[in-house]
Amino acid sequence: MKKAYLLVITIFLILFSACSPVKYVADGDFLLDDVKLDVRNSQLKENDAKSYIRQQPNLKIFGLFRAHLRLYSLSRKDSIKRNGRVRHLGRALRKMGEPPVIYNSMMRIQSERQLEKYYRAKGFMNAKVSSDVEFKKKRAVVTYHVDEGVPFRIENIDFDYRGDTAIQKIVETDRFYESKLKTGMLFDSDELDAERNNMSSLLRRHGYFYFTKDYITYTADTTVGDHKVDITLELKPFSKTRSDGSRVDVPHTKYKIGDISVVTLDKPNVSYTEVLAYDSARTEEGILMKYLHKPFLRSSVIEDNVMFSKGELYNSMRSDFTLSKFNSLGVVRAAYINFNDKHNDANEVDCQITLSPTKMKSISANVEATTTSGDFGFGGTLGWSHHNIFHGSECLTFKISYSQEAISGMDITDDKIRDYGASVTLAIPRVLFPFLTRDFKRRINANTELHAAFSVQQMGYRRDQLSLGWKYKWQRRRFYNFEIDFLDYNLVKMEDADAFRDKYFNEHTNPILLYNYTDHQILCTGFTYTFDNMSSKRLLNKKLFKASFETGGNTFQLFSHICKFDTDEFSGKNMIFEVPYSQYVKTELEYAFNQYINEKCRIVYHAKAGVAVPYGNSDGVPFEKRFYGGGASGVRGWAVRTLGPGKFPSTNDYLAQTGDINLLLNLEYRIKLFWKLELATFVDAGNVWTLYKDKNEDQQGGEFFINEFYKQIALAGGAGLRIDFSYFLIRFDLGLKFHDPSRIDKGTQWRTAHGMNWDDDFSFHFAVGYPF
């Protein structure tokens, strides 16, 4: 296997080295090999300046080699004249690759001008840019030399309101407004435009419907000397059209909300003439509803999501919030708001909100497969959802799941682990809680989620688990999400487990494992904060940050003391209705950064860490709340639940391969190929560890020590192929073990140096969606 692996690598390197990157560069032309920016002591980011250079060289992966250009060079010049097979291969290589960037002198001159404009707009008013080119062996290296000069800075800031005291009062007294301009800052035109936008947004929130940033101009006085600038912002009057067609300047006017109407379409695309034939009715608050046959949303739901009313001053922030609330409803495919000036003496604007529905019912499916050490595992989930079950965008979801995993090598159970179950979830797009006012419920963009599930695990015994959940989710601004697990209850009951416990725990005295495979229950609460802009199509670089905290057993502990419930004679644990309960605290942090390289390539950095600590009525953290390593979203050189803890050897005993501490680090490079195919290479690192040595006698080597844990970090790498169908993505990953901490005591932990084995050192994963 090792020889075959080396042979593949050797062939790959020979092919890539044999194809010249200048193969398709014609005589007299030059490949743009590099672009350099020579700026001394710049206060600006070099990457921002480089984005104004009109011609960039071919992409280098990790800054080392141009894989896309070499793939393009692998195609034959005469491939279109060959037989069909060669022709299609050549086309595929060209689509996967990138044609050579040929040096263009005109684009170099244009880049000089663009760079000058950029630096002058940033306050370097005397900036000069020149360039030179070095030609060598059909390659060109362009260097842009930037002489920034002394920057100009803002000395004084003034605002001429042209006698409009109403606007002056708003700007000077609004507690949420703060000017972005400060004395001493660079004379940056982008900052000045941001200030104009900021002021425009402020006034639109105070009723000025027609106000835009174009009504604010600025003049810059550079005669102050010593590279200083005095800035004067000036308010322009509103230009109004008279009946005779002439225009006259008048003061800016505030507008009020007139009539409000909500059109609920019966299908996504409806023509204007069809809407005219709709029925209409008014809600209790006077909102006019237009619909065909029957609106898909109740009138009370529409009233709760419209955040303004007739007669109020126009407020762009409330308009945006209304749009956000409607778009967050699962049954709404798209929401639009239009304001129309009534041109009356009351200065009113009518509002029409149009709601387009999505499909009311949907079916979802999720599958995952993995194989390692010759054992194969697979799983799947099938779901059905109704997105408007009570005509208030309540989403009812039923799911059934099944998974099976081979566990050869264990003689205490069957040779397979089977998990199956069903769940039902009701998501309600508002807060359900007593004593809260209607105004508070309207202002908070929150959901209530009720959940119930029952699952069965069979592995020589039967392990039943009942789960009940009650949680709240809400969003503050677009990417900030909060979640409270108000109630999360789990009951675990063991059946046909006496023989298993007698056979297994006669030789395994670990009280944590014993506790987790006897009857127990968990009642916990938790909080999760998430910042996630990964779904944004506008942003190039994207981030995810997630922090969670939960604790369990405290309510049961209080009831146990108050009600004097029984204590188990054998374990000494407190009982609630003859079942022991768990007490623990758990916290996790997760961070991911999706870095844009170009339209074909991205690098994703991911880190995750967590710790769980038992206390009180528990010797260990419940199995459901413990951490495990490996799997399609972990260290992909290992199958799920086969890594760790620490240097504990992998015995296919997934009962013991869990921990109280988790660390995971991932680096993934994603490259779009052609059609819907995407290639990824990755490096993963991490492990899990236990906290208490005296409680983990059957997990020797799994304890966490500050001076030892870094030596026990597992390392794996590999490659994957993804098929992106827009709505979902299928992923195939092949992981290879580099550093295996379970072999530390044998001295063979570095697998590439000690003869790799396909059965032990490779793991294949099939999953839906990105790992992070």
Side-chain angles (χ1 to χ4, degrees), residues 59 61 67-68 96 600-602 669-673 677-681:
L59 173 71
I61 295 180
H68 291 76
M96 293 167 58
K600 287 188 175 182
C601 302
R602 287 184 173 274
Y669 190 83
R670 299 171 183 169
I671 309 169
K672 291 188 180 297
L673 300 178
L677 295 182
E678 181 179 293
L679 179 68
T681 57

Side-chain angles (χ1 to χ4, degrees), residues 107-119:
M107 296 186 76
R108 174 174 62 86
I109 295 173
Q110 291 175 7
S111 298
E112 290 180 5
R113 295 172 181 171
Q114 290 296 320
L115 284 170
E116 279 190 359
K117 289 181 180 179
Y118 168 72
Y119 279 95

Side-chain angles (χ1 to χ4, degrees), residues 512-565:
I512 296 177
L513 300 183
L514 177 60
Y515 170 74
N516 282 291
Y517 282 83
T518 54
D519 295 349
H520 65 276
Q521 56 186 327
I522 310 166
L523 179 63
C524 65
T525 57
F527 175 79
T528 301
Y529 162 77
T530 304
F531 172 83
D532 183 4
N533 60 16
M534 290 289 187
S535 61
S536 172
K537 295 181 180 180
R538 181 179 61 87
L539 298 174
L540 295 180
N541 296 322
K542 306 175 184 182
K543 296 179 182 179
L544 164 72
F545 175 75
K546 186 176 183 180
S548 63
F549 174 85
E550 67 177 86
T551 181
N554 299 322
T555 303
F556 277 164
Q557 182 77 354
L558 178 62
F559 286 164
S560 178
H561 283 292
I562 294 175
C563 301
K564 305 297 181 182
F565 284 106

Side-chain angles (χ1 to χ4, degrees), residues 298-316:
R298 300 193 308 271
S299 60
S300 60
V301 174
I302 289 176
E303 289 178 338
D304 287 343
N305 285 277
V306 176
M307 302 307 296
F308 46 81
S309 58
K310 183 175 182 178
E312 289 184 357
L313 277 178
Y314 167 80
N315 186 324
S316 62

